[in-house]
């Protein structure tokens, strides 16, 4: 199956720009692997070897998967914005080739991913937890310590109902990738968070058990986003999009 999207100007113009979904996904996965290696080095040095040094502090500060305002957090935000941009691009393309109401789902999904990118960088869910936690009569022995999972799980359920029919109307390959990436991301973000809340309450945030759990959580989340971006590029390729870049309004009007 060809997974190459061709973004081009008409043949009378300049060169064709080719973007391979497979190559993009491989490149993103390579970055994920590098980040995982750096995070693992910091984890081993700090929690296992207990090697206290400036190098250890630098690696943990800039590459810890559970950190804020560091390289993995920035990379995750960028990937979410890439996904949001691709979703919006598909919405624009579908607005030209498909007049059915289904195209609005691409726009809604794009806005959701913009929010997710903001949440990743600004840690909105942490502030939600600060409001929800005092309202709970029990945190279920720590399972609901990170209490933002409750409103977010409810939001995911509502969005699932909203998108379900549309998702199953997509081509089978795209649909299966969407479902796989969505299940992996939600399972990691919410499911793992429940266990991490228990471990945090009983052992502390820096305990090796907790650090291993959030390592897998962040790794699965990043992997799910890479898979989703691949699915979007693959679907976009099937639409045969054409991008016209010109400083002449007449040429753009003529192409449209």
């Amino acid at each position: 199956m060809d997974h190459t999207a061709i973004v081009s100007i008409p043949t009378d113009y300049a060169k064709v720009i080719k973007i391979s979904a497979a190559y993009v996904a491989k490149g993103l996965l390579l970055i994920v692997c590098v980040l995982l290696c750096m995070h693992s080095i910091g984890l081993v040095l700090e929690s296992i070897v207990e090697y206290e040094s400036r190098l250890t502090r630098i690696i943990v500060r800039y590459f810890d998967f559970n950190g804020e305002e560091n390289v993995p957090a920035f990379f995750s935000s960028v990937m979410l914005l890439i996904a949001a941009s691709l979703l919006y691009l598909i919405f624009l393309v579908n607005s030209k080739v498909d007049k059915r109401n289904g195209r609005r789902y691409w726009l809604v999904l794009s806005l959701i991913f913009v929010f997710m990118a903001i949440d990743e960088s600004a840690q909105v869910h942490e502030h939600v937890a600060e409001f929800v936690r005092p309202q709970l009569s029990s945190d279920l022995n720590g399972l609901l310590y990170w209490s933002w999972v409750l409103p977010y799980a409810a939001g995911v359920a509502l969005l699932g109902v909203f998108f379900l029919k549309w998702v199953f109307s997509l081509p089978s390959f795209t649909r299966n990738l969407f479902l796989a990436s969505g299940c992996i991301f939600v399972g990691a973000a919410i499911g793992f968070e429940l266990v991490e809340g228990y471990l945090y309450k009983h052992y502390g945030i820096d305990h090796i058990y907790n650090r291993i759990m959030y390592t897998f959580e962040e790794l699965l989340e990043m992997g799910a986003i890479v898979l989703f971006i691949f699915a979007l590029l693959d679907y976009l390729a099937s639409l045969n999009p054409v991008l016209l870049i010109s400083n002449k309004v007449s040429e753009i009007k003529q192409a449209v």
Side-chain angles (χ1 to χ4, degrees), residues 1-254:
M1 181 180 295
D2 184 12
H3 302 294
T4 302
I6 301 178
V7 182
S8 64
I9 344 180
T11 53
D12 294 337
Y13 293 86
K15 298 179 180 180
V16 173
I17 301 173
K18 296 184 179 181
I19 302 174
S20 169
Y23 283 141
V24 170
K26 289 178 182 178
L28 292 175
L29 285 176
L30 178 61
I31 297 175
V32 171
C33 289
V34 172
L35 294 178
L36 176 61
C37 288
M38 296 302 296
H39 165 78
S40 299
I41 291 172
L43 177 63
V44 170
L45 289 177
E46 186 176 60
S47 297
I48 299 178
V49 180
E50 297 183 353
Y51 177 69
E52 292 291 339
S53 70
R54 186 169 181 269
L55 176 62
T56 300
R57 290 192 297 272
I58 290 175
I59 293 176
V60 172
R61 168 65 182 85
Y62 289 104
F63 294 98
D64 185 72
F65 275 8
N66 201 43
E68 301 175 11
E69 299 180 353
N70 63 7
V71 179
F74 174 77
F75 177 67
S76 294
S77 296
V78 169
M79 284 204 298
L80 289 168
L81 287 176
I82 290 173
S85 301
L86 290 173
L87 287 162
Y88 185 68
L89 181 58
I90 293 173
F91 164 75
L92 293 178
V93 174
N94 276 334
S95 296
K96 297 297 181 183
V97 302
D98 184 1
K99 300 301 181 182
R100 294 173 299 178
N101 290 331
R103 69 181 187 273
R104 75 177 184 271
Y105 289 98
W106 298 103
L107 179 60
V108 174
L109 203 52
S110 176
L111 295 175
I112 291 172
F113 270 79
V114 170
F115 169 76
M116 290 170 63
I118 295 173
D119 192 350
E120 181 67 30
S121 59
Q123 298 293 305
V124 176
H125 59 280
E126 297 291 348
H127 299 291
V128 172
E130 292 174 3
F131 172 78
V132 175
R133 189 181 298 119
Q135 315 304 320
L136 300 177
S137 58
S138 171
D139 65 1
L140 300 181
N141 203 25
L143 289 176
L144 295 180
Y145 184 83
W146 305 120
S147 53
W148 63 265
V149 298
L150 292 176
Y152 275 60
V156 168
L158 292 175
L159 290 174
V161 173
F162 177 74
F163 284 106
L164 185 62
K165 184 177 179 180
W166 170 73
V167 169
F168 277 92
S169 71
L170 295 172
S172 59
F173 186 74
T174 303
R175 178 191 66 225
N176 293 338
L177 290 181
F178 274 28
L179 291 174
S181 60
C183 289
I184 293 171
F185 188 90
V186 172
I190 295 181
F192 275 57
E193 200 78 0
L194 297 174
V195 180
E196 288 172 34
Y198 175 87
L199 294 175
Y200 172 78
K201 184 171 183 178
H202 290 270
Y203 300 102
I205 190 66
D206 293 325
H207 193 277
I208 187 63
Y209 294 161
N210 203 44
R211 299 191 71 172
I212 290 175
M213 282 298 299
Y214 71 64
T215 297
F216 280 107
E217 177 194 347
E218 295 298 327
L219 183 62
L220 288 173
E221 287 182 15
M222 288 190 283
I225 300 171
V226 172
L227 182 61
F228 188 67
I229 290 174
F230 171 78
L232 292 175
L233 287 172
D234 178 83
Y235 179 81
L236 187 60
S238 69
L239 301 178
N240 297 314
V242 175
L243 174 65
L244 174 61
I245 302 177
S246 175
N247 60 353
K248 298 180 181 179
V249 177
S250 58
E251 291 178 348
I252 296 178
K253 288 183 176 180
Q254 183 179 3

